[in-house]
């Protein structure tokens, strides 16, 4: 099985690679250091499964998952996260991920998670989360509400990372005027006045780290 690892910490990627390469039927064929690079590398190498950290620069793991599944529906995605939080879990499922593994449990659960997701079985490391997912599958309206569209979340993250409108347009392949429009919509939709308030909101939502 051909795997890709995306995490913005090289030591974490190295540890994951060692863990996975010990398996005779696994091969880590590519690595990426941020969410935008993860999408580009996945398109180039076409792995069977992508393992994405949820918190990365440029695009989060959830945003990268959405792009990868949009362009390569047959590629499986597994999310690694420090957050034992149902909001991240629901967002991962909605983005198209097949599994959600807490980093604190990766040494014990990651190999099983990769195998399960590759078989088409959802994998979650918490029994409480599994119950939440069963409830959500039965009634998708039971999940947490999200005021922003996926594209608005992408723009918000890049604004919070101090990218200019031009840089955001280049990263997301949008016209600069379109980015300006998204910025205005974000302020209106969230009832905020300036970039500082947007940054605070992005930090609270976990789109960027403080």
């Amino acid at each position: 099985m051909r795997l890709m690892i995306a995490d913005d910490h090289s030591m974490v990627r190295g540890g994951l690679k060692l863990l996975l390469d010990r398996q005779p039927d696994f091969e880590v064929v590519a690595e990426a250091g941020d969410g935008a690079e993860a999408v580009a590398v996945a398109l180039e190498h076409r792995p069977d499964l992508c393992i994405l950290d949820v918190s990365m620069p440029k695009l989060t793991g959830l945003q990268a998952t959405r792009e990868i599944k949009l362009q390569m529906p047959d590629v499986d995605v597994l999310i690694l996260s420090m957050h034992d939080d149902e909001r991240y879990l629901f967002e991962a499922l909605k983005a198209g991920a097949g599994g959600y593994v807490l980093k604190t449990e990766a040494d014990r659960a990651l190999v099983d998670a990769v195998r399960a997701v590759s078989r088409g079985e959802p994998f979650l490391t918490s029994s409480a989360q599994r119950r939440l997912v069963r409830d959500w599958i039965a009634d998708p309206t039971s999940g947490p509400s999200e005021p922003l569209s996926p594209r608005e979340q992408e723009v918000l993250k890049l604004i919070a990372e101090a990218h200019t409108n031009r840089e955001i347009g280049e990263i997301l392949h949008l016209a600069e005027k379109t980015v300006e429009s998204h910025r205005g919509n974000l302020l209106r939709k969230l009832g905020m006045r300036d970039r500082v308030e947007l940054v605070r909101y992005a930090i609270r939502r976990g789109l960027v780290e403080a």
Side-chain angles (χ1 to χ4, degrees), residues 6 8-10 36 39 48 57 83 89 91 111 116 129 136 141 144 160 164 172 180 207-208:
D8 56 326
H9 297 99
S10 59
V39 176
D48 299 308
H83 307 289
L89 169 62
E91 289 297 318
V111 170
Q129 289 175 345
W136 182 76
T141 62
T164 66
L172 298 179
E180 291 175 5
L207 292 171
V208 294

Side-chain angles (χ1 to χ4, degrees), residues 1-27:
M1 190 186 312
R2 302 171 73 254
L3 307 174
M4 184 192 83
I5 301 170
D7 192 293
D8 56 326
H9 297 99
S10 59
M11 289 185 64
V12 173
R13 293 200 308 272
L16 295 175
K17 187 175 188 301
L18 283 173
L19 175 65
L20 295 165
D21 278 342
R22 290 194 195 112
Q23 304 301 311
D25 53 338
F26 290 177
E27 180 187 7

Side-chain angles (χ1 to χ4, degrees), residues 73-202:
D74 293 336
V75 174
D76 293 315
V77 177
L78 177 65
I79 291 291
L80 276 178
S81 177
M82 292 295 295
H83 307 289
D84 191 4
D85 184 313
E86 68 178 73
R87 178 177 293 277
Y88 289 94
L89 169 62
F90 282 118
E91 289 297 318
L93 293 171
K94 287 196 291 184
Y100 188 95
V101 175
L102 296 176
K103 280 190 170 182
T104 53
E105 303 176 15
D107 58 336
R108 303 186 303 276
L110 184 59
V111 170
D112 289 341
V114 170
R115 295 194 190 284
V117 171
S118 70
R119 293 193 299 265
E121 302 170 6
F123 187 95
L124 305 163
T125 51
S126 161
S127 59
Q129 289 175 345
R130 285 193 285 273
R131 286 195 299 275
L132 284 169
V133 170
R134 283 198 296 270
D135 293 343
W136 182 76
I137 289 172
D139 178 13
T141 62
S142 65
S145 61
E146 172 52 62
L148 303 180
S149 71
R151 179 61 86 191
E152 287 170 340
Q153 291 180 56
E154 292 172 350
V155 172
L156 173 61
K157 175 176 172 59
L158 294 169
I159 289 172
E161 291 177 350
H163 292 283
T164 66
N165 285 351
R166 177 173 294 181
E167 290 169 343
I168 294 171
E170 290 172 354
I171 292 168
L172 298 179
H173 308 291
L174 297 173
E176 193 170 343
K177 286 188 175 181
T178 302
V179 176
E180 291 175 5
S181 176
H182 279 305
R183 187 186 289 262
N185 288 340
L186 284 167
L187 291 169
R188 284 191 295 274
K189 185 176 283 191
L190 297 174
M192 295 177 179
R193 295 168 297 177
D194 54 30
R195 178 183 170 274
V196 173
E197 291 187 336
L198 289 177
V199 171
R200 289 173 181 157
Y201 180 83

